[in-house]
């Protein structure tokens, strides 16, 4: 048998902004496809019109594009297995539902929502669960329990119906999940799921999903673990439709857990912990749900951090570009147990990817920020600064607070540093230093340092004390890179003017 071409799909329902759990599912599909020279397909599963959310499909497209996951076939990209949006495939599904009725694998059911609600309520009152299943289907209103005449009458009268899958009794359904290994389900615990509805002439998720995976020649289904309970129904559908031979192989990915490790990561956790759980900003009625992009993350950092939520390379390596991920990825190394999300680690990944970027690229990014602040600077100057401070930041947006003093004089002085460093003989010394600094001809770090050191020596002050006061004058606090380099880069006039300002303004 020739090996089957790897074709995987990411199949989101456009019911809201894609959560990072969904993004990780997309990423693992993408990595698996690229690793095996296969196709990465994007299918929009929008058969449930009641849950449709405007803008959600576009959000998926924008998110994948930002993260660099190129889609081989999809709504926008087209492809020979289209359409790739289920609402545009409406005419395809009915025939398969009919086929299942004819072969006895499915039946019509006429129970109204109100009747089913009443049965549910009674069951609840008796502390039982209600399920429409093999145990009670003959007591309910369907084409198995009613006579052919009555079924016909109801249908002719235009009564709404659904088609339910007739789950066989006491059958073991087994699968070899690529993540979980051999998993067996017994059908006795399963209900008769609705697979098609007359009201909108549309299939439900289960039928549409199986039909499309089959017609689109999907080889592997990689999705979140919340779909594991659907596997026995899906396998039974493949059997019933006689597609078992080409049934895809399943892989169910572990949950992404809250930072505490207890329960699934939610939007609320992000709100509480101040970290994004969405790839891009998403507009809400009363604000914005924060996205990784707008929070200053690099796409490669997001891919990297998501890849390591549930997968490990089997080595000590933690930093990966997307190409390196493709190279190293293997579905066998995906864990079964949930992966705890660590917001600090997420920042760390960004910092590491920031460090990996060359100074030229970073300086262009930082320059955009500078322009937004109305600061215009020579790009080679910006590049020098980036090189000096980049290891102190996690995000490009933090470069400003580490380097603003290169672009403007401090407007205030950190009171704690003032108290500790600007005392005793220091103010007078700094006043005298101005005269000495004015004498420096060649304004370079070493010469500036030599002059200050000579002064310190002459006046018998502590080197550290003076240097910290000098730093306070130049940057406004106790932070920043090499002080003499700062002075050199600021230039003679600006340095002297800042020392003068400090002497005048710190009281
Ligand atoms: N439409 C489903 C979802 O929203 C797809 C599940 C699957 O991949 O089979 O997650």
């Amino acid at each position: 048998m020739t090996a089957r071409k790897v074709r995987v799909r990411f199949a989101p329902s456009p019911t809201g902004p894609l959560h990072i759990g969904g993004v990780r599912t997309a990423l693992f599909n993408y990595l698996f496809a690229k690793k095996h020279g296969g196709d990465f397909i994007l299918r929009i599963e929008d058969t449930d019109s009641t849950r449709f959310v405007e803008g959600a499909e576009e959000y998926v497209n924008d998110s994948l594009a930002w993260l660099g996951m190129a889609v081989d076939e999809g709504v926008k990209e087209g492809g020979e297995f289209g359409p790739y949006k289920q609402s545009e495939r409406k005419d395809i599904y009915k025939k398969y539902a009919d086929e299942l009725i004819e072969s006895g694998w499915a039946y019509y059911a006429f129970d109204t929502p109100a009747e089913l609600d009443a049965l549910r309520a009674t069951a609840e009152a008796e502390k039982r669960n209600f399920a429409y299943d093999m145990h009670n289907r003959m007591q309910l209103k369907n084409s198995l329990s009613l006579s052919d005449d009555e079924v016909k009458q109801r249908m002719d009268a235009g009564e709404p119906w659904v088609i339910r899958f007739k789950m066989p009794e006491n059958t073991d359904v087994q699968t070899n999940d690529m993540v979980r290994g051999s998993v067996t389900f017994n059908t006795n615990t399963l209900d008769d799921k609705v697979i098609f509805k007359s009201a909108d002439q549309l299939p439900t998720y289960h039928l549409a999903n199986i039909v499309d995976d089959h017609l689109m020649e999907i080889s592997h289904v990689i999705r979140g673990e919340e779909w594991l309970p659907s596997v026995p129904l899906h396998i039974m559908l493949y059997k019933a439709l006689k597609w078992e031979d080409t049934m895809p192989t399943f892989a169910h990915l572990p949950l992404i857990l809250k930072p505490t490790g207890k329960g699934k990561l939610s939007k609320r956790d992000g709100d509480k912990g101040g970290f994004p759980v969405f790839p891009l900003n998403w507009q809400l009625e009363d604000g914005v749900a924060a996205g990784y992009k707008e929070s200053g993350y690099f796409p490669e950092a997001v891919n990297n951090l998501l890849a390591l939520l549930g997968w490990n390379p089997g080595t000590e390596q933690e930093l990966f570009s997307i190409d390196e991920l493709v190279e190293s990825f293997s579905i066998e190394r995906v864990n079964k147990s949930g992966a705890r999300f660590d917001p600090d680690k997420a920042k760390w990944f960004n910092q590491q990817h920031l460090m990996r970027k060359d100074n030229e690229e970073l300086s262009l990014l930082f320059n955009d920020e500078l322009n937004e602040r109305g600061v215009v600077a020579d790009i080679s100057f910006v590049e020098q600064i980036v090189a000096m401070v980049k290891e102190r930041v996690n995000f490009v947006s933090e470069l400003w607070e580490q380097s603003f003093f290169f672009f403007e004089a401090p407007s205030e002085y950190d009171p704690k540093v003032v108290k500790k460093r600007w005392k005793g003989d220091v103010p007078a010394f700094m006043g005298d230093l101005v005269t000495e600094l004015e004498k420096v001809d060649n304004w370079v770090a070493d010469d500036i340092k030599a002059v200050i050191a000579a002064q310190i020596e002459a006046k018998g002050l502590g080197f550290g004390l003076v240097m910290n006061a000098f730093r306070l004058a130049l940057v406004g606090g106790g932070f920043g890179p090499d002080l003499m380099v700062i002075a050199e880069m600021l230039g003679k006039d600006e340095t002297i003017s800042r020392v003068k300002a400090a002497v005048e303004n710190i009281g």
Side-chain angles (χ1 to χ4, degrees):
M1 206 176 99
T2 53
R4 196 172 174 195
K5 169 141 203 211
V6 167
R7 288 176 54 80
V8 295
R9 85 304 193 271
F10 176 50
S13 298
T15 54
L18 185 64
H19 178 272
I20 53 162
V23 179
R24 191 206 42 183
T25 299
L27 179 65
F28 283 21
N29 274 283
Y30 175 83
L31 296 176
F32 186 79
K34 297 304 126 186
K35 171 91 192 181
H36 298 284
D39 298 326
F40 174 58
I41 294 143
L42 175 62
R43 184 172 73 224
I44 301 294
E45 300 207 327
D46 60 347
T47 53
D48 187 353
S49 54
T50 59
R51 296 186 62 215
F52 177 83
V53 170
E54 193 68 45
E57 182 183 340
E58 204 183 331
Y59 184 90
V60 169
N61 290 328
D62 294 347
S63 302
L64 299 187
W66 178 59
L67 291 163
M69 289 180 230
V71 172
D72 296 307
E73 293 168 32
V75 179
K76 273 193 328 180
E77 297 74 12
E80 55 176 310
F81 297 86
Y84 291 90
K85 191 189 286 202
Q86 289 185 329
S87 58
E88 291 170 12
R89 300 170 64 79
K90 229 176 155 166
D91 300 338
I92 296 177
Y93 307 109
K94 180 71 182 7
K95 120 170 172 224
Y96 299 105
D98 290 345
E99 207 178 282
L100 291 170
I101 295 261
E102 264 153 49
S103 56
W105 279 101
Y107 59 91
Y108 295 107
F110 301 95
D111 320 80
T112 65
E115 286 166 347
L116 294 174
D117 281 349
L119 289 166
R120 241 172 249 127
T122 316
E124 212 170 287
E126 292 168 7
K127 302 217 170 342
R128 291 184 284 116
N129 267 338
F130 172 77
Y132 203 119
D133 62 16
M134 59 194 79
H135 308 293
N136 60 8
R137 62 166 87 99
M138 292 313 282
Q139 284 87 58
L140 295 161
K141 289 188 193 133
N142 54 57
S143 57
L144 302 175
S145 62
L146 304 171
S147 70
D148 291 354
D149 279 353
E150 184 166 357
V151 170
K152 190 171 179 314
Q153 244 171 39
R154 284 176 182 257
M155 299 213 45
D156 290 347
E159 218 178 90
W161 47 260
V162 296
I163 297 179
R164 286 182 182 269
F165 188 75
K166 188 179 165 199
M167 192 51 80
E169 271 177 54
N170 200 19
T171 307
D172 280 337
V173 184
Q174 190 268 348
T175 182
N176 291 320
D177 189 281
M178 288 191 290
V179 173
R180 274 141 221 281
S182 175
V183 191
T184 306
F185 308 82
N186 186 280
T187 55
N188 273 356
T189 56
L190 303 175
D191 60 347
D192 290 352
K193 283 268 184 290
V194 173
I195 56 172
F196 198 93
K197 294 188 283 192
S198 69
D200 51 11
Q201 287 293 310
L202 279 174
T204 60
Y205 155 74
H206 300 290
L207 182 65
N209 187 271
I210 265 52
V211 168
D212 287 348
D213 281 349
H214 172 73
L215 296 178
M216 294 181 181
E217 296 180 10
I218 298 302
S219 61
H220 298 79
V221 165
I222 304 170
R223 60 185 174 190
E225 122 182 332
E226 64 273 25
W227 298 103
L228 193 61
S230 301
V231 166
L233 170 63
H234 292 184
I235 294 178
M236 292 309 297
L237 280 166
Y238 281 106
K239 249 189 218 190
L241 290 162
K242 302 200 170 55
W243 295 337
E244 239 187 322
D245 289 357
T246 54
M247 182 166 77
T249 308
F250 294 102
H252 287 87
L253 307 176
L255 289 179
I256 300 183
L257 304 175
K258 295 176 190 298
T260 56
K262 293 195 192 92
K264 190 172 158 179
L265 181 73
S266 71
K267 178 178 171 303
R268 290 243 321 264
D269 300 314
D271 293 343
K272 260 202 331 224
F275 57 84
V277 296
F278 298 107
L280 311 176
N281 272 3
W282 174 260
Q283 194 61 47
L284 301 167
E285 264 170 37
D286 55 350
V288 175
Y292 275 86
K293 180 182 180 198
E294 294 80 359
S295 304
Y297 283 82
F298 294 117
E300 47 274 50
V302 176
N303 285 331
N304 195 160
L305 77 92
L306 289 180
L308 289 172
L309 284 173
W311 170 79
N312 72 81
T315 64
E316 292 296 302
Q317 188 178 352
E318 284 193 286
L319 289 185
F320 294 86
S321 66
I322 189 98
D323 289 342
E324 289 165 329
L325 284 174
V326 168
E327 179 71 18
S328 316
F329 188 73
S330 77
I331 200 97
E332 290 75 25
R333 301 207 69 92
V334 173
N335 306 323
K336 275 192 276 227
S337 49
R340 195 176 65 82
F341 179 82
D342 178 348
D344 293 330
K345 189 82 194 212
K347 285 188 189 156
W348 179 84
F349 275 112
N350 208 65
Q351 188 251 337
Q352 293 293 312
H353 280 273
L354 189 145
M355 291 294 289
R356 275 186 148 196
K357 290 194 181 285
D358 61 36
N359 296 332
E360 190 185 344
E361 184 182 348
L362 283 175
S363 66
L364 293 174
L365 293 171
F366 186 34
N367 201 42
D368 290 343
E369 291 245 349
L370 292 175
N371 291 344
E372 268 168 42
R373 292 175 183 273
V375 175
V376 179
D378 197 59
I379 197 72
S380 60
F381 183 69
V382 178
E383 200 174 317
Q384 254 178 299
I385 289 163
V386 161
M388 288 167 75
V389 302
K390 71 175 181 181
E391 67 197 29
R392 294 159 194 263
V393 302
N394 294 324
F395 300 99
V396 168
S397 60
E398 292 171 354
L399 287 169
W400 173 255
E401 66 203 45
Q402 291 297 332
S403 68
F404 68 90
F405 47 84
F406 283 111
F407 307 100
E408 58 187 37
S411 57
E412 52 193 32
Y413 302 96
D414 182 340
K416 275 202 211 114
V417 183
V418 169
K419 194 159 171 229
K420 208 163 151 202
R421 312 290 186 190
W422 202 266
K423 59 183 184 191
D425 300 331
V426 169
F429 177 90
M430 296 306 279
D432 295 344
L433 187 63
V434 169
T435 326
E436 296 308 310
L437 290 174
E438 267 159 1
K439 291 185 204 152
V440 179
D441 290 329
N442 187 19
W443 192 258
V444 292
D446 285 348
D447 289 20
I448 307 166
K449 191 170 182 177
V451 166
I452 301 178
Q455 267 310 96
I456 291 173
E457 174 95 42
K459 302 268 164 77
L461 287 181
F463 190 78
L465 188 66
V466 170
M467 283 307 168
N468 282 306
F470 190 41
R471 181 178 289 280
L472 180 67
L474 298 195
V475 311
F479 55 89
D482 188 319
L483 188 58
M484 293 307 138
V485 177
I486 297 177
E488 177 181 325
M489 287 177 69
L490 286 176
K492 186 171 173 177
D493 291 351
E494 180 63 21
T495 303
I496 290 173
S497 121
R498 288 191 192 184
V499 175
K500 279 186 185 160
V503 172
E504 260 167 48
N505 299 327
I506 306 177

